Amino acid sequence: EAGVVQSPRYKIIEKKQPVAFWCNPISGHNTLYWYRQNLGQGPELLIRYENEEAVDDSQLPKDRFSAERLKGVDSTLKIQPAELGDSAVYLCASSSYLENTGELFFGEGSRLTVL
Amino acid sequence: EDQVTQSPEALRLQEGESSSLNCSYTVSGLRGLFWYRQDPGKGPEFLFTLYSAGEEKEKERLKATLTKKESFLHITAPKPEDSATYLCAGGGSQGNLIFGKGTKLSVKP
C-alpha cells in the first residue's frame, strides 16, 4: 500500500515569492493534516481536514497561508508571499476515521528554505 | 493550554546501555498518548498508542508505559540502528496531536 506522498521534497525560494506544496494521502483516509516542523522542534498543526472540509485551521496564518483539499483527496498548501521565518519542513499526514486508532501516517515532508 | 514536554532533549548511549525517555503531558480530554520515531529527513513513524494509566506496550527493544501525568519510553540494550528522534504526542479532544519537541537519541557502537 502506498504511503502519504508529498512534493516537492525540497524547495528554495527568495522571500516574497510564492510556493505551493502538494499532498496525496493514503487511499481511503478521510482526515488530512498539514503540520509545520521547525528545526529541533516537534510538528505543529496548521490545518486539519475531514474529507473536503477544514475543521481546524486556527493555527494557519491566514494572511499568507492558504490550503485546499480537492474532492476530499489531494491537498495543496500555499504560502504567498513567503517570509524568512517560513523556512521549515511542511509535513502532511492522513488518518482513517473508520479505524479510529488515532494513528497518523506522515509523508516524508517538504523542506522549504526562504532566502 | 495543552502541553507536552519531553526530556532529555538529547541522550547519548553506548550500545547495550539501557535507559528511559520521559514525556510529561497536560492535555485536556486526552485521547491517547502517542510515540513516534523520526529519522533525519523523514516524517514521523508511528510506534505506540497508550490509552489508560497502567497500560504498557512493547516492540522489540522498546517499551512504552503510561501514568496519569507521564509516559516513559524504555529502551533495553539499544543498538546503533535505534538512533533517531523520538517524539511524544498527546491526542487532543479536537482530534489533532500535540507534539513535544522530541528526544534525540544517539547509540554508539
Side-chain angles (χ1 to χ4, degrees):
Chain A
E1 178 181 315
V4 176
V5 180
Q6 292 188 243
S7 68
R9 288 294 316 281
Y10 306 93
K11 189 74 176 179
I12 301 174
I13 61 173
E14 294 189 347
K15 64 181 180 182
K16 300 185 181 180
Q17 294 298 305
V19 64
F21 305 110
W22 175 81
C23 172
N24 178 243
I26 292 173
S27 177
H29 281 192
N30 60 305
T31 307
L32 184 145
Y33 310 75
W34 283 103
Y35 280 84
R36 177 169 61 188
Q37 187 173 26
N38 292 308
L39 189 64
Q41 305 292 314
E44 295 178 322
L45 181 69
L46 291 174
I47 189 168
R48 175 169 66 98
Y49 284 93
E50 296 286 350
N51 299 306
E52 63 272 11
E53 180 183 0
V55 296
D56 184 357
D57 63 356
S58 57
Q59 300 304 311
L60 189 72
K62 297 180 183 63
D63 57 335
R64 297 184 300 106
F65 285 65
S66 64
E68 61 180 3
R69 189 179 185 194
L70 302 174
K71 298 181 181 179
V73 182
D74 294 359
S75 178
T76 303
L77 178 69
K78 297 179 181 178
I79 308 174
Q80 182 172 10
E83 296 179 353
L84 295 177
D86 296 331
S87 294
V89 175
Y90 292 84
L91 292 164
C92 179
S94 68
S95 66
S96 171
Y97 176 78
L98 290 178
E99 293 178 7
N100 200 28
T101 62
E103 176 186 348
L104 271 60
F105 295 82
F106 284 86
E108 294 196 321
S110 295
R111 180 178 295 276
L112 173 65
T113 301
V114 182
L115 302 176
Chain B
E1 180 183 350
D2 293 339
Q3 193 168 7
V4 174
T5 304
Q6 292 187 246
S7 62
E9 291 186 4
L11 182 62
R12 291 187 176 186
L13 299 174
Q14 289 296 124
E15 185 173 1
E17 180 186 3
S18 301
S19 188
S20 296
L21 281 55
N22 176 264
C23 170
S24 62
Y25 63 91
T26 52
V27 177
S28 59
L30 183 76
R31 294 172 55 184
L33 190 291
F34 297 76
W35 283 97
Y36 282 80
R37 168 185 171 135
Q38 187 172 27
D39 293 298
K42 303 289 187 181
E45 179 184 351
F46 173 77
L47 292 173
F48 305 107
T49 311
L50 303 167
Y51 290 104
S52 57
E55 187 175 1
E56 298 183 352
K57 288 191 176 176
E58 290 188 62
K59 181 180 181 179
E60 295 182 355
R61 295 175 292 283
L62 301 177
K63 183 170 79 172
T65 61
L66 182 66
T67 72
K68 290 185 177 180
K69 295 182 179 179
E70 295 177 303
S71 178
F72 295 92
L73 185 64
H74 308 277
I75 303 175
T76 301
K79 297 181 178 181
E81 52 262 42
D82 296 322
S83 297
T85 295
Y86 290 86
L87 295 165
C88 171
S93 57
Q94 301 301 313
N96 67 317
L97 293 184
I98 300 106
F99 282 88
K101 293 183 179 181
T103 293
K104 184 175 182 179
L105 175 65
S106 299
V107 182
K108 302 299 182 184

